Amino acid sequence: MTQKVHEIMTSAPVSVGPLTAVTEVARRMRDENIGAVLVTEEDEPRGLVTDRDLVVRVLAEGRAPGDTTVQEACSPGLVTVAPEDDVDRAIQLMREHALRRLPVVEDGKAVGIVALADLAMERDPSSALGDISAAAPNT
């Protein structure tokens, strides 16, 4: 039986509005021990911002995190999957677009995120990436 995205995704993704300050998003990432936050407007996904986006698009550019909105730091071109999509479809999209995370969207609403780590854990938990993904984070 083909595995579906909803079987391995992380449910209830953390989301913020597009005008949220980067400092607030960074705090949420720290407090919730996550590396990506969905940017939503009226519950519809508009973007995804990662910890790397904050470093490359804000800090490295010398922008003030308190004065920069998450909308300005988002990765362009949101790519999504549906909960009923095959896991192979998620893998194909990640390869095609060089992504590590995909928002899972149903009826225009974000219902989860599937990450490269989720796929590694599911497909080969004894691989190096699977081991790293399963390890408890350092705080």
Side-chain angles (χ1 to χ4, degrees):
M1 186 164 117
T2 304
Q3 194 168 31
K4 302 296 183 182
V5 168
H6 71 85
E7 296 176 66
I8 65 166
M9 72 180 192
T10 300
S11 299
V14 173
S15 65
V16 298
L19 300 180
T20 305
V22 164
T23 51
E24 175 59 27
V25 173
R27 284 186 196 109
R28 295 276 309 265
M29 288 178 174
R30 177 199 62 201
D31 294 348
E32 301 197 35
N33 195 33
I34 56 175
V37 172
L38 277 170
V39 179
T40 59
E41 193 166 25
E42 297 180 15
D43 291 330
E44 292 187 24
R46 299 288 186 216
L48 180 73
V49 67
T50 67
D51 45 9
R52 184 177 191 284
D53 292 331
L54 301 183
V55 170
V56 172
R57 294 196 178 108
V58 180
L59 297 177
E61 295 296 322
R63 299 171 81 176
D67 297 330
T68 305
T69 66
V70 71
Q71 173 177 277
E72 299 170 79
C74 272
S75 297
L78 187 64
V79 178
T80 66
V81 291
E84 291 302 319
D85 282 348
D86 293 343
V87 167
D88 289 338
R89 173 78 176 138
I91 293 168
Q92 174 192 356
L93 287 170
M94 287 178 164
R95 279 188 179 136
E96 211 172 281
H97 298 277
L99 300 170
R100 291 181 176 91
R101 298 171 185 92
L102 288 172
V104 182
V105 177
E106 184 173 44
D107 299 325
K109 309 284 187 231
V111 296
I113 291 182
V114 64
L116 183 60
D118 299 325
L119 296 167
M121 288 292 300
E122 187 58 38
R123 291 289 168 106
D124 189 1
S126 64
S127 70
L129 185 55
D131 277 349
I132 293 165
S133 299
N138 292 333
T139 53

